[in-house]
Amino acid sequence: HLFAGDTQSMLTALASSCSIAPTPPRTLPPITGNACALGYDFGTSGVRCAIVDASGEIVANPPGYSWGVAGERAQEASDWEEALFSQLAALPADARARVSRIAVSGTSGSMLIVDGDGAPAASRGSPRMYDFSVSKQAVGDSGEAALALLRRCTPEGHPVRSATSALAKLLAYHFESPLAGSERLAHQADYVASRLTGGAIASDWHNALKLGFDVRALRYPEWLTGGEIGEIARGRLPRVVRPGEPIGPVSDKLVAKYGLASGCLVVGGTTDSIAAFLAAGADSVGDAVTSLGSTVAIKLLSDVPAE
């Protein structure tokens, strides 16, 4: 997702319920010359990163950061930041100096609530990871209230109806204690990217799927921005960009501290299983990849919607 190509366009055929919108043109050309891209993968067991050059060859790939067995499902936002910057520091200085773009993949559905300045909302506790089930783990009857609202207001069979969806988690937070005016949702990858830019939270087409983003119409659907759900979610959802398109520049402070290329950009990322799909070299309709990890993820590249 750091390079030009058609794979991301075809991946937009994965979901939702209205006519397919034209894929917007890319605004960023591929990296060229001596420039490099840095990719992070935040997974269940830990974090890996790699720098690649314009041809896709690996320039640097330090040992990964492990959460440890106890930390796999008990992560804090501070753990994500520690992993982000320890991996960045572990990269050779000469390789960091060539990095002009950075993207982050995260575990699908992992999220937290942030306040107006993008910091974790102190009263909301730990992030809710990809396998957090509102029906089993949310406080009191907040999870059932969230799922009941989703059953009333969302299309039959939609993935947000899952007890582990990002939207179910957001609604459960609200039914535990009404969301404050400044509180916003951030997926794991969104939050990590914002630590690099120092700016507002932004997401990508893939991480936003379990939040309800319509990847065929390339917008949030009306049932999410209006009606009963909209009364809760409106103004709390991240801006969504195409994977590989700009989120914002890395902060001047971090560019100077880590010796990154001037003007280094953070671009839209993806989820961990789609990152694995792309890394496997899938690029033609009909290509499929199964990822065997803490969960099983099946991805198929299709030119028609997969319902």
Side-chain angles (χ1 to χ4, degrees):
H1 56 275
L2 300 174
F3 305 98
D6 295 328
T7 303
Q8 299 295 345
S9 300
M10 289 186 281
L11 283 169
T12 62
L14 286 172
S16 207
S17 59
C18 57
S19 60
I20 297 175
T23 302
R26 292 185 180 274
T27 62
L28 280 180
I31 59 172
T32 58
N34 194 48
C36 289
L38 167 59
Y40 279 91
D41 179 49
F42 279 69
T44 300
S45 60
V47 180
R48 298 291 301 271
C49 74
I51 293 176
V52 295
D53 64 18
S55 69
E57 291 297 313
I58 295 175
V59 173
N61 183 20
Y65 181 101
S66 175
W67 305 124
V69 175
E72 287 187 1
R73 288 171 174 79
Q75 297 169 27
E76 301 292 340
S78 58
D79 298 326
W80 300 346
E81 292 188 52
E82 181 181 340
L84 168 69
F85 293 118
S86 67
Q87 286 282 280
L88 186 55
L91 293 163
D94 59 341
R96 290 200 304 261
R98 297 170 59 188
V99 172
S100 62
R101 293 180 199 169
I102 303 176
V104 180
S105 73
T107 47
S108 178
S110 296
M111 56 79 75
L112 75 166
I113 301 296
V114 299
D115 58 25
D117 63 2
S123 65
R124 295 296 180 175
S126 302
R128 294 185 166 177
M129 299 303 294
Y130 62 93
D131 59 349
F132 182 99
S133 171
V134 301
S135 63
K136 299 176 182 179
Q137 295 166 272
V139 175
D141 61 358
S142 60
E144 183 49 46
L147 294 175
L149 178 57
L150 290 170
R151 288 192 294 269
R152 289 198 306 273
C153 300
T154 63
E156 184 73 29
H158 198 286
V160 297
R161 291 192 174 198
S162 166
T164 60
S165 77
L167 183 56
K169 294 166 189 171
L170 175 68
L171 296 175
Y173 270 124
H174 176 76
F175 287 119
E176 287 175 21
S177 176
L179 293 163
S182 63
E183 290 185 320
R184 304 286 185 271
L185 176 145
H187 301 99
Q188 181 184 42
D190 309 347
Y191 179 78
V192 173
S194 75
R195 299 302 90 187
L196 292 167
T197 65
I201 298 292
S203 194
D204 60 83
W205 293 351
H206 304 158
N207 275 288
L209 275 172
K210 292 182 181 178
L211 184 56
F213 184 76
D214 189 334
V215 294
R216 292 167 66 183
L218 299 180
R219 59 174 175 80
Y220 288 116
E222 291 182 5
W223 56 257
L224 180 52
T225 58
E228 289 185 72
I229 295 178
E231 288 298 314
I232 299 169
R234 192 180 305 115
R236 307 187 189 282
L237 309 177
R239 173 173 65 96
V240 180
V241 304
R242 177 178 179 163
E245 287 294 282
I247 290 175
V250 177
S251 71
D252 292 341
K253 179 180 177 180
L254 293 180
V255 168
K257 180 176 180 178
Y258 292 100
L260 302 171
S262 177
C264 182
L265 288 173
V266 178
V267 298
T270 184
T271 62
D272 56 343
S273 60
I274 293 181
F277 177 87
L278 297 174
D283 61 3
S284 300
V285 172
D287 285 352
V289 174
T290 301
S291 300
L292 302 176
S294 58
T295 59
V296 177
I298 301 173
K299 293 288 185 287
L300 170 68
L301 193 54
S302 175
D303 58 0
V304 295
E307 303 287 1

